[in-house]
Amino acid sequence: MSAATPSAQLTAYAPRVRVRRGISVGFMVIALLAITVSILMLGALIVEIAVDGAARLFTDGGAVSVEARDGSIVSDLPTPEGMGWLSWVLPIAILLPFVGPRVVHSVAHGVVHGVPRVAERLMGLAVVAPVAVFLHILYVRFESAYFIEYAKAVDIDGATGNVLQLFGEASGFQVVRLVIMGIGLPLALLLMGWFWSHRMRKPSLLIPAILIGAWIVYLFMDPWFLSSYPSRSPSGAGIFSAVTGTFYMMTITAAIAFPLGVGAAVYLEEYARRNWFSRMIQVNISNLAGVPSIIYGLLGLQVFVRVLEFERSVLAGACTMALLVMPIIIVSAQEALRTVPPSMREAAYAVGATRWQVVRHHVLPYAFGGMLTGNILAMSRAIGETAPLIAIGALTFIAFLADSPTDDFTVMPIQIYNWVARPQAGFHEIAASAIIVLMVILLLMNAAAIIMRQRTRTDW
Amino acid sequence: MARNFFTVMRSSAPSSTAARPSSSSRSTAPPPPNMKEAPAAGVGVHLDPSLEAVRHDLTEDIEMALELREVSAFYGTFQAVDKISLPIPKNRVTALIGPSGCGKSTLLRCLNRMNDLIPGARVEGEIRFEERNLIDPTVDAVEVRRRIGMVFQKPNPFPKSIYENVAFGARINGYSGDMDRLVEDALRRAALWDEVKDELDKSGLALSGGQQQRLCIARAIAVQPEIILMDEPASALDPVATLKIEDLMRELAEHYTIVVVTHNMQQAGRVSDYTAFLLAGEERVGRLVEFGPTQEIFTNPLDQRTEDYITGRYG
């Protein structure tokens, strides 16, 4: 081939193409720490299995025995509801984002990209796998500890078990295990976070902090609070219907607002001529973003609840919320579209693409991460909105789950508002708990937005 | 027909009434004194819009890929290019040279209707392409761009795989043949195949600058255009990568008509068969000064300003 000749001559001088990131000192330190912790964890795991027997660790956490007041051991107590499957689902859910897609990807692309990246991923797996098993164990232990307290509270055969007992005084490895769990686990979570964020362009402490924070919140949380319906008594009340109502409404809101908002942004950025009409639309959108949310509520009350006869349903709430967040979605989607450099559009036009092909194949895919980020941020605003939903008449006492979009519903802020407004102190406490749950959901959504923004960013 | 358009009509130029030197005596006869004496500072004054640009005779009988007739380009009220008439010979490399801001890139972007994308941009005149005026609004700009490809100043591969970068144009244009072969063929022609054949699923952005630019050339070739426009294709590259692009241009000229804008005199001298020299006056309106075979332009410029520019005296 004639073209090969000049290339062959020049190969010796060709600029070296950087194939993969060099291993930095920081990365090596992290890797060493990670390996150390892995070994510690694995060792502790072997001890656990040797002492307690594999059967107890890898079945559900039901084998709780409680020392009764007369000194006899009461075993075979009924296990807390849902503990068996949850004790595995939770650690695996934490584990999967770290290794799942990555291992699949490395198997699929390993041939092309070479071995080192596979090794890197296997190392990640080696770190998180023991962590997941330990999460499982800890979950079982803390559930059991909680269950003992529960048994004491409801006075099952005069139960007097204590938490330390569950960590196995008899085994003699208590101190070792407590140190590992007290120091090793937070450290492991920190490393997991570092490992993960190292894959992004900017390593940050955000993810480790969120992981550890979530873990601590989880440890102190009463799981029944999440899975109970509202009740007359504060001790029996939960936010199950409020949480599900919130997610139900948010899903429909996003399904309505995201396509419409992105469509409007694409029209304004890619198609509309720059004239007085498009400028007027632009100004109006900016103004709509500043309208008080109660106004949207009144609009929703008249349009969706009364004229369209949606009644006080999830659908009416979702439509109102969609109107409320649409300006935010449009503006952020426009910003995302503007980050796609004109040279990309030109490149696509230059090979004979039509305007729609340019938008469909290039502009939209490149801007999609940014649009999704804006959507999540808009949703995190909507999730905390109360006023418009009060205006359209969302209920506060819902002791069932909505089956269809036309059912009655409640959401977390309204539930909190209702509890705070009650005179009993117990309701104030569960209101505070609900606020924490809402805050955690909000933080997670914002974190997801930040992560997504980092991961989808392209250096042009 | 093409030759007629090409013949020089110096007599119609008011500022150069002297008889044009014949081809045989051109190498020895000095250019007309009144042109040589034109001071550099007074360029804008001397550039009368009615002034015909100096053109050399074509030394070969050749078909024209494009013919520009009095092409003017405007951005809103600002005129960037004024009445440029120029032939683009088929299967040859034509270089557009001139100082910054003289309208070279604008003129190039007129050739495949790229200026349509800029709000307020407008083109007047006529660009003959296969018996049609491609500036005509009834001509489909998308079709024009498919048949007249473009490579940009800064390498701009899509943030997709190398394979997808090349295949995209063919795919949207309804290519139904063997895509793998098309991609391989385009990459081979762009002299990139040997370097990337094992990593076609790697992102185009992961390549080096020179490789990226060759990928862009492969992308332009893959839709099988007749003409390839290159807007300073090597200006963002190092000398080694530049040399590769230049070699590539020479090879591509066997099958394609190439129009290249360049700031680099040596590059124009090395790669092009024909050269057009553009210059903007004080009012920043670009006009054609001289057009002819590159050899002639570089060794025997007929216009004083061309000589000054080529020898680096101004610009």
Side-chain angles (χ1 to χ4, degrees), chain B residues 172-193:
Chain B
I172 57 163
N173 285 301
Y175 178 77
S176 56
D178 185 348
M179 192 61 83
D180 291 351
R181 270 193 66 188
L182 181 86
V183 170
E184 179 177 340
D185 187 53
L187 285 170
R188 274 191 196 283
R189 286 197 182 188
L192 189 61
W193 174 252

Side-chain angles (χ1 to χ4, degrees), chain A residues 219-337:
Chain A
L219 287 184
F220 284 97
M221 207 177 63
D222 175 352
W224 276 286
F225 182 60
L226 282 182
S227 56
S228 304
Y229 293 106
S231 164
R232 279 189 294 114
S233 70
S235 57
I239 52 169
F240 192 48
S241 54
V243 171
T244 50
T246 292
F247 279 106
Y248 202 175
M249 196 189 75
M250 283 304 126
T251 310
I252 300 177
T253 303
I256 296 169
F258 187 61
L260 283 178
V262 167
V266 167
Y267 170 74
L268 285 172
E269 280 300 307
E270 304 291 327
Y271 285 89
R273 292 178 183 281
R274 298 279 179 273
N275 54 21
W276 66 269
F277 183 67
S278 62
R279 272 198 299 277
M280 189 185 74
I281 293 177
Q282 191 71 58
V283 169
N284 268 305
I285 288 170
S286 305
N287 282 339
L288 282 176
V291 171
S293 55
I294 186 72
I295 308 291
Y296 284 100
L298 296 174
L299 178 74
L301 177 65
Q302 185 60 29
V303 174
F304 299 122
V305 178
R306 292 188 184 149
V307 175
L308 295 175
E309 294 179 348
F310 289 168
E311 302 301 330
R312 306 156 154 195
S313 61
V314 180
L315 190 60
C319 289
T320 311
M321 277 299 177
L323 282 185
L324 177 69
V325 298
M326 195 96 73
I328 306 173
I329 292 180
I330 294 173
V331 170
S332 65
Q334 279 184 295
E335 289 293 332
L337 289 170

Side-chain angles (χ1 to χ4, degrees), chain A residues 67 99 116 168-169 280 312 350 386 443:
Chain A
E67 192 185 336
V99 287
E169 280 171 298
M280 189 185 74
R312 306 156 154 195
T386 323
L443 279 177

Side-chain angles (χ1 to χ4, degrees), chain A residues 30 98 102 127-128 186-200 202-212:
Chain A
I30 290 174
F98 288 98
R102 220 162 270 163
V127 175
V128 289
L187 191 60
L189 285 170
L190 197 73
L191 288 173
M192 276 165 70
W194 263 100
F195 226 91
W196 194 6
S197 61
H198 183 79
R199 312 288 310 190
M200 296 188 290
K202 276 187 185 162
S204 74
L205 280 172
L206 181 74
I207 297 165
I210 289 171
L211 277 176
I212 293 171

Side-chain angles (χ1 to χ4, degrees), chain A residues 1-11 13-19 108-109 111-113 274 342-355 357-358 360-362 365-366 458-460, chain B residues 109 112 114 117-119 142-143 145-146 148-150 152 154 156-160 168-169 172-173 188-189 191 194-195 198-199 201-202 205-208 211 214 219-220 223 238 240 243-244 247 251:
Chain A
M1 208 190 91
S2 55
T5 321
S7 337
Q9 287 169 349
L10 292 170
T11 315
Y13 303 101
R16 193 163 294 159
V17 183
R18 198 177 60 172
V19 177
H109 296 268
V111 187
V112 181
H113 295 306
R274 298 279 179 273
S343 67
M344 284 301 124
R345 296 182 177 83
E346 285 189 336
Y349 279 122
V351 290
T354 60
R355 190 180 287 268
Q357 283 167 334
V358 172
R360 161 75 183 74
H361 293 283
H362 295 285
Y366 306 157
T458 314
D459 287 330
W460 304 99
Chain B
R109 293 168 64 92
N112 67 343
M114 221 55 179
L117 306 174
I118 299 170
V142 170
E143 178 66 12
R145 287 185 210 120
R146 196 195 70 67
I148 305 181
M150 190 158 191
F152 298 87
K154 200 170 159 244
N156 55 354
F158 302 128
K160 300 184 175 199
F168 171 71
I172 57 163
N173 285 301
R188 274 191 196 283
R189 286 197 182 188
D194 292 336
E195 290 160 59
D198 295 328
E199 41 190 16
D201 67 337
K202 209 165 89 170
L205 290 174
L207 298 173
S208 72
Q211 287 175 321
R214 275 178 287 153
R219 179 175 69 192
V223 290
D238 66 88
V240 178
L243 199 53
K244 281 194 181 186
D247 286 339
E251 273 165 37

Side-chain angles (χ1 to χ4, degrees), chain B residues 102-118:
Chain B
C102 70
K104 308 181 295 290
S105 292
T106 301
L107 185 65
L108 193 76
R109 293 168 64 92
C110 292
L111 301 185
N112 67 343
R113 301 266 305 256
M114 221 55 179
N115 278 352
D116 288 13
L117 306 174
I118 299 170

